[in-house]
Amino acid sequence: MIKPLPKIVDLSEVDPNTRRGGDLRAMLTPATVGSTSGFMGVAIVQPGDRIGEHYHPYSEEFVYVVCGRLEVDLDGEPHPLRPEQGLMIPMNMRHRFRNVGDVEARIVFHLGPLAPRPALGHVDTEGTETVAAAPADRAQVRS
């Protein structure tokens, strides 16, 4: 039996995923560290931005708010989230994160167990239309 080794992954080593809104970085995954029970990452959400509504048919999602002021819609019902709060989102529950503050928000997320295939683990229930921000501003605004 091969013993897995610990691995440290720096946020700067992970490419941003902005397809669903925000800047999602899946850091500790089967592909990056060989995890077998779930994966962990960080979401960076700029003021006025959001992570589009979706659900996970095979996984629970655990979220910890590091900084910023967010609202999460759970099956359409809004709930405030502030720093140092955690949230467990049950399997199949629709959820959307919105930065309602005036500073960047960061959340750490973990999902488990893994879906049978990565493509089955995330179901989008709305689109996120990107509108380019001013060239000097790296942030993006989403409707």
Side-chain angles (χ1 to χ4, degrees):
M1 182 170 148
I2 298 173
K3 181 179 178 182
L5 298 174
K7 183 173 180 192
I8 295 172
V9 176
D10 192 89
L11 184 65
S12 66
E13 297 174 38
V14 181
D15 291 331
N17 174 348
T18 58
R19 290 187 317 261
R20 296 179 174 103
D23 172 353
L24 304 176
R25 312 262 182 125
M27 296 179 65
L28 306 178
T29 70
T32 62
V33 298
S35 59
T36 59
S37 64
F39 68 95
M40 189 278 299
V42 174
I44 304 165
V45 187
Q46 297 302 321
D49 201 356
R50 74 168 193 249
I51 298 169
E53 187 183 80
H54 61 282
Y55 67 93
H56 307 284
Y58 294 93
S59 307
E60 296 173 326
E61 183 167 1
F62 301 86
V63 173
Y64 177 78
V65 181
V66 177
C67 62
R69 199 165 55 98
L70 296 157
E71 279 189 359
V72 59
D73 299 323
L74 301 171
D75 281 342
E77 185 177 330
H79 300 272
L81 281 178
R82 63 179 190 271
E84 299 187 359
Q85 287 186 321
L87 167 67
M88 192 283 286
I89 303 170
M91 219 177 284
N92 291 310
M93 178 171 276
R94 293 177 295 111
H95 52 285
R96 168 194 307 111
F97 293 93
R98 294 177 283 116
N99 183 337
V100 296
D102 55 4
V103 299
E104 176 180 277
R106 288 185 179 228
I107 61 174
V108 174
F109 60 87
H110 175 271
L111 284 89
L114 293 169
R117 292 190 316 277
L120 300 176
H122 184 108
V123 179
D124 290 315
T125 54
E126 72 178 355
T128 52
E129 182 179 320
T130 303
V131 178
D137 186 359
R138 196 179 138 218
Q140 293 181 353
V141 179
R142 306 213 186 274
S143 63

